[in-house]
Amino acid sequence: MLTGIRRCGKSTLLSMFRKELRQSGVPEENIISLNLEGIEGIDITESRQLLQYFVERLQPHGMNYIFIDEVQQVEHFEKAVDALYVQENCDVYVTGSNSQLLSGELATLLSGRYVEIRMHPLSFSEFVSAHPGTNLERLYPQYLTVSSFPYASTLRSVKDVRQYLSGIYDTVILKDIVGRRKLVNQALLKKITRFLFDNIGNPCSAKKIADTLTSMGSKTTIPTVENYLGALQDAFLFYRADRYDLKGKEYLKTGGKYYAVDLGLRQMVLGSKPMDAGHMLENVIYLELLRRYGEVYVGKIGTAEIDFVAMRNGEPNYYQVAYTVIGDDDRTLRRELSPLQAVKDYYPRYLLTMDLVPHASHEGIQQEYVLDWLMGAQVQ
């Protein structure tokens, strides 16, 4: 199963796989595809119809490769997927724009029998590869404003990019959130979305959001805000980094931070409203760590905070992010190093900055130029 926000490349990846199947000799009739938001799939709304569509097209000889795009459009789709999956001559691939697809009944039915690939828009290194011949320092600001969605990088004007991002945003809000979750207050949802875009990298709670909106004349409750926050995360518009107490080895319910799936969307929603460059860099690093590790938290050690604790197989890597640590007689550098120095285990520790300085080591803490780090190899 491929999951991720709309237009991040899920359908393109499936198309590439279908092409590979054809090139390897799989007959065309054994490759059966359905886009549930396309013409053929628009009238398929329940699991029996979905199952019937494929049963009528199954070939008796050879393996049938089944591709279903945006499977969440069908109510109780998991029953049809499971019925196809148990057939010995069926190999099933699905995409979805909702993080809850693999929860509940589908996870129970397919327990241990599926692989989830979580997809994101372009990483910085992928964005750079789409703009050969341009140096990293010029491309980084474009990456923040033009957008990391693949198709956006092919558009030539700011107006075209904004229209494209507006289409993605409206579809996610109206179809994936309001429509799917049956949320009645679209205006409140958009205000919460604007709040999150405006507070990237800041500790954020449902209570803080509810209090802020109420003080601005949009009275709401904490449970309502929690429901809307969950919907925004389900649709992959935002990710929440929960806090992890390094001393107590426990996950904390308070003090989490939200990061946007794409900073171009932030600019499209908020316009030219400025944002702290350090928090924007934090957002980029958080998404890159998700790609490399899959599990990322905000670290707490005593009263200090480590920007990110990236976990793989239960083993942490520690990352502190600062736009610059130059100047102030090294006070900024010492401040950023201090939380990492408080860690007493022997797992890797990194300080990532935009300072154009050679790789340096501070008593085992590796300082790296962040754009070089972003271009580096993925953690295996």
Side-chain angles (χ1 to χ4, degrees):
M1 169 162 307
L2 305 181
T3 58
I5 192 169
R6 288 175 179 273
R7 306 295 181 263
C8 71
K10 301 186 298 295
S11 299
T12 299
L13 184 57
L14 288 190
S15 178
M16 293 168 64
F17 184 47
R18 289 194 292 268
K19 181 179 179 180
E20 184 175 320
L21 288 174
R22 296 185 189 99
Q23 291 175 342
S24 66
V26 174
E28 186 68 38
E29 59 269 21
N30 286 65
I31 303 173
I32 313 170
S33 302
L34 176 64
N35 183 346
L36 286 164
E37 293 187 330
I39 295 174
E40 287 186 301
I42 197 168
D43 292 326
I44 297 177
T45 58
E46 55 98 20
S47 60
R48 287 185 177 275
Q49 293 173 306
L50 180 61
L51 180 60
Q52 186 64 30
Y53 179 90
F54 288 102
V55 167
E56 292 174 352
R57 291 163 174 78
L58 291 179
Q59 302 300 307
H61 304 293
M63 180 64 71
N64 290 273
Y65 294 90
I66 293 172
F67 297 88
I68 312 174
D69 247 336
E70 300 298 348
V71 72
Q72 76 278 351
Q73 297 299 115
V74 172
E75 190 174 5
H76 304 306
F77 68 87
E78 59 272 7
K79 296 178 181 179
V81 171
D82 184 55
L84 292 167
Y85 189 86
V86 298
Q87 303 301 310
E88 293 184 357
N89 65 337
C90 289
D91 199 5
V92 184
Y93 301 83
V94 301
T95 76
S97 301
N98 189 281
S99 66
Q100 296 302 307
L101 291 180
L102 290 174
S103 65
E105 188 171 355
L106 182 61
T108 302
L109 290 172
L110 300 182
S111 178
R113 296 183 293 148
Y114 66 85
V115 174
E116 181 186 8
I117 300 175
R118 295 186 179 185
M119 295 190 63
H120 307 271
L122 297 179
S123 67
F124 181 67
S125 62
E126 291 168 334
F127 185 82
V128 169
S129 68
H131 300 81
T134 309
N135 67 44
L136 302 184
E137 288 72 26
R138 287 187 61 188
L139 283 175
Y140 178 71
Q142 293 181 37
Y143 182 64
L144 301 183
T145 57
V146 172
S147 168
S148 59
F149 283 98
Y151 184 71
S153 65
T154 70
L155 301 174
R156 298 304 176 194
S157 73
V158 173
K159 179 181 178 181
D160 288 343
V161 171
R162 293 293 169 261
Q163 288 179 340
Y164 177 68
L165 293 178
S166 178
I168 294 176
Y169 178 72
D170 288 343
T171 301
V172 170
I173 292 292
L174 295 176
K175 181 173 286 189
D176 297 335
I177 298 179
V178 173
R180 182 174 176 81
R181 294 285 291 261
K182 305 296 189 293
L183 302 182
V184 296
N185 195 336
Q186 186 181 144
L188 177 63
L189 175 63
K190 289 188 174 182
K191 288 179 180 178
I192 293 173
T193 303
R194 290 179 63 89
F195 182 94
L196 293 181
F197 275 130
D198 202 25
N199 286 273
I200 286 170
N202 293 322
C204 202
S205 67
K207 183 180 186 306
K208 179 180 180 180
I209 297 172
D211 289 347
T212 301
L213 293 179
T214 298
S215 69
M216 296 171 62
S218 298
K219 188 173 182 180
T220 186
T221 64
I222 294 174
T224 297
V225 172
E226 288 176 338
N227 186 34
Y228 283 44
L229 289 174
L232 288 165
Q233 292 173 81
D234 287 349
F236 301 105
L237 196 58
F238 291 94
Y239 295 90
R240 177 182 164 89
D242 291 320
R243 295 172 80 207
Y244 179 70
D245 187 341
L246 298 174
K247 287 187 175 180
K249 304 297 182 184
E250 62 179 345
Y251 303 103
L252 304 175
K253 294 182 179 180
T254 60
K257 299 180 178 181
Y258 288 88
Y259 295 97
V261 70
D262 174 70
L263 289 168
L265 281 173
R266 178 196 178 274
Q267 182 155 322
M268 188 275 298
V269 171
L270 297 185
S272 59
K273 187 173 184 178
M275 179 181 176
D276 179 79
H279 282 163
M280 295 184 77
L281 180 60
E282 231 181 89
N283 201 121
V284 172
I285 299 305
Y286 174 78
L287 293 176
E288 184 63 24
L289 291 173
L290 272 186
R291 294 183 185 96
R292 298 188 185 191
Y293 294 89
E295 190 178 351
V296 186
Y297 301 93
V298 175
K300 176 183 179 296
I301 182 162
T303 58
E305 181 179 284
I306 295 175
D307 288 326
F308 299 119
V309 180
M311 306 286 285
R312 181 177 289 275
N313 299 323
E315 297 184 349
N317 282 247
Y318 305 104
Y319 289 88
Q320 198 74 349
V321 182
Y323 197 84
T324 180
V325 293
I326 294 176
D328 297 330
D329 298 323
D330 288 337
R331 282 179 294 177
T332 302
L333 175 61
R334 292 197 300 270
R335 184 182 68 244
E336 295 297 339
L337 291 175
S338 178
L340 295 174
Q341 291 168 336
V343 177
K344 300 305 180 184
D345 61 36
Y346 297 96
Y347 292 106
R349 293 169 292 168
Y350 302 92
L351 172 62
L352 304 178
T353 79
M354 287 290 286
D355 297 323
L356 277 166
V357 297
H359 174 86
S361 179
H362 308 277
E363 299 178 355
I365 300 169
Q366 305 304 311
Q367 181 179 347
E368 298 189 24
Y369 176 45
V370 70
L371 297 189
D372 285 343
W373 180 84
L374 286 167
M375 295 297 293
Q378 301 281 311
V379 174
Q380 298 298 316

